[in-house]
Amino acid sequence: PDLFAPERRNSIGFDLHHTPTLDAVDKAREAFQEHQWNATRLLATDAAPLATAPVTNPSTPEDNPGTVAPASATDAEVAMASATPWTAPAAERATILNAAADLYEAHHGELFALLAREAGKSLPDCVAELREAVDFLRYYAANIPDAEPAGTFTCISPWNFPLAIFSGQIAAALAVGNAVLAKPAEQTPLIAHRAVQLLHEAGVPRDVLQLLPGGGELGARLTSDPRISGVAFTGSTATALKIRAAMAHNLRPGAPLIAETGGLNAMIVDSTALPEQAVQSIIESAFQSAGQRCSALRCLYLQEDIADDVLTMLMGAMDALQVGDPWHISTDCGPVIDEIAHRGIADHIAVARADGHVLKEMATPEQGTFIAPTLIKVSGIGDLEREIFGPVLHVARFKAQDLDRVIDDINATGYGLTFGLHTRIDDRVQHVTDAIHAGNIYVNRNQIGAIVGSQPFGGEGLSGTGPKAGGPNYMSRFCAPDRQSTND
Ligand code: NAD
């Protein structure tokens, strides 16, 4: 393939180490530091205003970035009845999606302010998220398959990538020519609303792309109606299973569910690894975005011979992490998304503390839903009963002769999203990566931040159905089934 072809070019984003760039980005976002946004449903036709509720800033309880008016059951009905596939030719759809990508970039100041104030994202996270969103739009625009659209797709997204995942699902569905009903996570309606406004401004017709802010009940309604042809879902494994059951009862047989779900992600560091490289990778994988990435490292396996040295370095590196308001450029670790998430993570740490298993804790700001990076000792990944979606890293030790048992334990979780390996033995790279069941495997680097187009992202087992997002096969599931190869 031509590595420099336009469809392979990724957004260059903003280099925050370049002071003039950082100053310009800071200024662009400052204009929105006190801005108020209002999220409401965006349907094919205008509808009467609805009752609103305030949206909160997870790091600063006294800051309300705006209000949301959740869509009603009637709105869902209206949206499903008026959803219209996008009949414009593929080249025109691509031009409009590319125009939307340009608009996203042009509005970076506003989007960064929204991501910080509504989702608690640090500035480096904001830059990475905008790049990914733009990459999805351009990548799908450049790779539209020659096929019919499935019909109407419901796209349901999580709060942890409220711009990138939200836009990626929609872009793939739209590129193929589907009508889209987009239901963002209830925690992040403002970003979704602004994104859909920009997509409309770029030229996506309003009856083709409709926005319905709301929670799980609305999501259930939009995934269990026979007028829906398929569902793209990213979120927890538990919700994916509910959606699958609802679809099986109500939708036509074979209606696609593209589910990208949770993980219990491990990393193995053996005694030949470069400790500095491993520690940097561990810090980024476990604590960047306050651990609120589906790809984040949850269970670190250190080979016994080097475990003490690596842990000493790791704890030193943790001391240098700044936990606080994500608006500040020096912040490494912002808040977790809301009080419910905070309680769940804090309870998990409290149990470990009572058992004497906490290896390291740090201070947190008094206000806001902060959890500081925490290390917890475990005997193995089997001790983790569930995905802890925050900056909590579990650490186990293993002996060289037990490597295959460790691999078996990791596979036995049933999840298979990301996996990291640090070693300087080539044969071991081959052996471990052959044996591990995970969608995305990273060697001698961190295990987060897959790049659209070059590192298609998605898991296996309990972590997702495939095909991988940002890869060549993703859009095939948004197409109508090939009539010759099915009994439709
Ligand atoms: P969640 O499952 O609670 O919610 C996700 C979305 O589903 C939200 O929009 C929610 O309103 C909706 N929803 C809830 N119940 C529903 C129902 N019965 N029917 C239809 N929709 C319903 O997940 P979350 O807490 O928002 O996100 C965090 C989870 O997402 C973690 O498990 C994380 O690992 C996962 N995730 C996975 C990926 C990936 O690519 N594999 C990426 C990001 C996040």
Side-chain angles (χ1 to χ4, degrees):
D2 176 4
L3 291 179
F4 299 99
E7 68 270 21
R8 295 192 68 88
R9 262 183 234 145
N10 291 90
S11 157
I12 58 168
F14 298 91
D15 179 2
L16 299 177
H17 299 288
H18 180 246
T19 308
T21 306
L22 173 61
D23 289 346
V25 167
D26 215 16
K27 209 157 169 250
R29 125 193 124 126
E30 224 174 76
F32 297 92
Q33 196 165 8
E34 291 179 3
H35 189 86
Q36 292 287 300
W37 293 269
N38 302 305
T40 184
R41 77 279 215 228
L42 294 169
L43 303 179
T45 48
D46 287 329
L50 295 168
T52 61
V55 176
T56 49
N57 176 334
S59 70
T60 317
E62 61 275 13
D63 177 33
N64 288 123
T67 62
V68 57
S72 64
T74 312
D75 294 328
E77 183 54 38
V78 168
M80 287 189 281
S82 54
T84 312
W86 200 1
T87 50
E92 189 181 325
R93 300 198 299 268
T95 303
I96 290 173
L97 292 175
N98 281 319
D102 295 346
L103 278 175
Y104 276 33
E105 285 186 327
H107 287 270
H108 63 270
E110 182 177 4
L111 295 173
F112 291 171
L114 267 168
L115 286 164
R117 290 177 60 203
E118 189 181 32
K121 294 248 168 178
S122 68
L123 190 53
D125 278 348
C126 291
V127 171
E129 172 130 22
L130 177 62
R131 286 182 66 179
E132 191 178 0
V134 164
D135 285 350
F136 276 134
L137 285 161
R138 295 194 180 130
Y139 178 82
Y140 295 134
N143 292 284
I144 297 179
D146 183 15
E148 297 293 316
T152 299
F153 247 83
T154 294
C155 294
I156 298 197
S157 46
W159 48 265
N160 70 328
F161 284 93
L163 184 67
I165 291 178
F166 177 77
S167 305
Q169 296 175 337
I170 293 174
L174 288 176
V176 175
N178 291 289
V180 171
L181 306 176
K183 197 213 73 66
E186 48 273 51
Q187 295 88 342
T188 51
L190 301 177
I191 299 164
H193 185 261
R194 196 68 193 98
V196 170
Q197 283 181 325
L198 293 176
L199 282 151
H200 286 159
E201 188 180 329
V204 179
R206 286 186 59 156
D207 53 354
V208 168
L209 170 59
Q210 301 180 82
L211 174 75
L212 295 124
E217 206 179 308
L218 180 68
R221 203 173 280 281
L222 296 170
T223 49
S224 60
D225 189 287
R227 284 168 288 187
I228 302 303
S229 323
V231 175
F233 168 80
T234 307
S236 62
T237 305
T239 305
L241 294 172
K242 280 189 208 162
I243 294 176
R244 188 177 68 175
M247 288 175 67
H249 275 102
N250 302 297
L251 271 54
R252 68 165 169 75
L257 168 63
I258 305 162
E260 298 171 45
T261 55
L264 276 183
N265 310 307
M267 177 192 280
I268 295 177
V269 178
D270 80 5
S271 61
T272 70
L274 279 172
E276 294 84 355
Q277 178 184 270
V279 167
Q280 183 174 350
S281 304
I282 295 163
I283 290 276
E284 290 166 356
S285 302
F287 303 132
Q288 204 164 307
S289 315
Q292 299 171 106
R293 288 174 177 253
C294 52
S295 52
L297 170 60
R298 308 293 178 202
C299 187
L300 169 67
Y301 279 93
L302 295 173
Q303 192 174 326
E304 190 68 61
D305 322 56
I306 49 133
D308 287 335
D309 287 349
V310 172
L311 277 175
T312 304
M313 286 174 67
L314 178 60
M315 292 188 197
M318 286 170 69
D319 284 331
L321 291 175
Q322 302 274 338
V323 182
D325 185 349
W327 195 272
H328 296 310
I329 176 63
S330 56
T331 294
D332 299 296
C333 202
V336 296
I337 190 68
D338 58 19
E339 276 170 16
I340 297 172
H342 187 270
R343 207 172 312 130
I345 303 164
D347 286 352
H348 176 77
I349 296 172
V351 170
R353 197 184 293 123
D355 292 341
H357 292 162
V358 171
L359 296 173
K360 182 168 180 68
E361 292 193 84
M362 295 160 62
T364 52
E366 278 174 14
Q367 282 209 316
T369 48
F370 288 95
I371 299 274
T374 304
L375 286 187
I376 292 178
K377 182 174 69 175
V378 290
S379 63
I381 199 164
D383 292 358
L384 277 65
E385 284 162 11
R386 61 189 170 94
E387 178 191 41
I388 301 297
F389 211 65
V392 179
L393 177 59
H394 306 86
V395 187
R397 295 167 184 247
F398 72 99
K399 294 193 172 67
Q401 65 267 28
D402 292 334
L403 182 64
D404 284 331
R405 183 191 47 77
V406 168
I407 293 170
D408 289 345
D409 288 351
I410 294 169
N411 287 339
T413 64
Y415 289 93
L417 196 48
T418 70
F419 171 76
L421 173 65
H422 281 261
T423 180
R424 279 186 282 177
I425 303 172
D426 286 347
D427 286 352
R428 182 158 294 163
V429 172
Q430 197 60 49
H431 172 69
V432 176
T433 59
D434 280 352
I436 283 282
H437 301 162
N440 287 63
I441 296 180
Y442 300 89
V443 178
N444 294 332
R445 53 154 286 177
N446 66 31
Q447 64 199 82
I448 54 169
I451 304 289
V452 173
S454 9
Q455 296 160 335
F457 184 80
E460 55 181 82
L462 294 173
S463 296
T465 57
K468 294 182 177 190
N473 302 320
Y474 188 62
M475 278 188 289
S476 65
R477 296 291 311 280
F478 291 85
C479 301
D482 178 354
R483 293 191 172 272
Q484 286 167 6
S485 61
T486 68
N487 297 325
D488 272 6

